[in-house]
Amino acid sequence: MKITFYGQNSLAIEVSGKHIIIDPFITGNPLSKDKVDINALQADYILLTHAHMDHVLDAEAIARNTGAVIVSNYEIAMHYQEKGFKVHPMNHGGGWQFDFGHLKYVAAIHSSTFDDGTDGGFPGGFVIEGEHKNIYIAGDTALSMDMKLIPMRTKLDLAVLPIGDNFTMGVDDAIIASDFVECDKVLGVHYNTFGYIEIDSDAAKKKFYDAGKDLMLLDIGASIEL
Ligand code: NI
Ligand code: MN
């Protein structure tokens, strides 16, 4: 499983020969827009955690380019289906066996309204059980006791957690989240994109290290192999 970071909560995941894009927000991200060409991205699926602009901005363009299936909660899926896109609707606690692996839409504590006021349902995160590795993408969320449910079903190899604070968990709560999901390997996301979520990266890494955990922070366009 190869995971590439495109800024904010945007990721590309390659698993079982399939290309998945998570929460594409690239053309509007000052840190990403000159480094990533959305027209060059491959996608079989686009997974959207919730309807906020910093998660869905480039979903339509990428879906149009690639014919990818948009996977999200029911409300978000219907929003894109009405616009003519291919969708797969899910809802919280539900899983589906896709050709890339098993995907479950899990709870998040946040909000989820499109910029035009359209209802985006309740926000979520994803648990992907791939061929050999399992990952949790928390999406925008507070620290939540529901995270403890995840390791009851899935042994995680990586947790993708927001660490920018203000709109989501900050570093200290993300360390507790890492305990709750029983995964010490964390990819930090949702930080430094704009003023409210600027963090001290070295201090964040040290806090995780001191807690016996590994916080990875990737440059835009950088990848890790699981
Ligand atoms: Ni959000
Ligand atoms: Mn966000």
Side-chain angles (χ1 to χ4, degrees):
M1 190 184 283
K2 183 182 177 189
I3 300 164
T4 306
F5 180 59
Y6 291 136
Q8 195 67 341
N9 201 51
S10 304
L11 303 167
I13 299 174
E14 290 179 50
V15 55
S16 298
K18 299 294 174 184
H19 292 83
I20 302 168
I21 299 282
I22 313 284
D23 284 359
F25 171 69
I26 293 159
T27 59
N29 182 344
L31 304 179
S32 309
K33 63 180 169 54
D34 298 326
K35 293 184 179 154
V36 184
D37 175 9
I38 62 163
N39 296 311
L41 297 179
Q42 289 178 273
D44 299 294
Y45 300 92
I46 300 169
L47 274 48
L48 302 177
T49 60
H50 66 293
H52 286 161
M53 186 52 78
D54 62 314
H55 297 257
V56 304
L57 180 68
D58 297 313
E60 291 188 22
I62 295 168
R64 217 175 284 120
N65 284 345
T66 59
V69 178
I70 296 174
V71 183
S72 190
N73 69 30
Y74 181 81
E75 288 79 5
I76 291 172
M78 288 307 110
H79 172 78
Y80 287 109
Q81 182 169 273
E82 280 166 22
K83 294 181 170 207
F85 293 100
K86 284 186 279 182
V87 302
H88 181 117
M90 301 185 76
N91 221 323
H92 299 89
W96 183 262
Q97 188 66 44
F98 288 86
D99 52 6
F100 60 80
H102 187 269
L103 181 70
K104 190 172 186 180
Y105 191 64
V106 296
I109 297 181
H110 192 67
S111 54
S112 179
T113 305
F114 285 96
D115 257 18
D116 66 0
T118 304
D119 176 23
F122 289 104
F126 292 102
V127 175
I128 301 174
E129 295 181 351
E131 203 177 354
H132 303 295
K133 301 287 179 180
N134 302 325
I135 73 170
Y136 168 50
I137 297 156
D140 286 7
T141 184
L143 176 64
S144 137
M145 294 297 279
D146 278 4
M147 291 171 178
K148 291 190 173 189
L149 298 172
I150 291 168
M152 295 174 76
R153 292 292 304 276
T154 305
K155 170 135 186 40
L156 295 174
D157 298 286
L158 179 72
V160 181
L161 303 178
I163 56 169
D165 221 334
N166 192 74
F167 296 115
T168 67
M169 294 187 286
V171 170
D172 295 305
D173 280 352
I175 288 170
I176 298 171
S178 152
D179 283 335
F180 283 5
V181 300
E182 298 177 15
C183 180
D184 289 333
K185 195 169 181 179
V186 172
L187 175 62
V189 295
H190 214 273
Y191 66 97
N192 285 359
T193 309
F194 26 70
Y196 289 119
I197 60 174
E198 275 169 17
I199 67 160
D200 179 334
S201 298
D202 290 335
K205 282 184 178 176
K206 183 170 187 317
K207 278 188 174 180
F208 272 81
Y209 181 82
D210 289 346
K213 299 172 185 295
D214 179 19
L215 174 67
M216 290 174 287
L217 300 177
L218 296 177
D219 290 335
I220 307 286
S223 301
I224 52 169
E225 197 80 46
L226 278 188

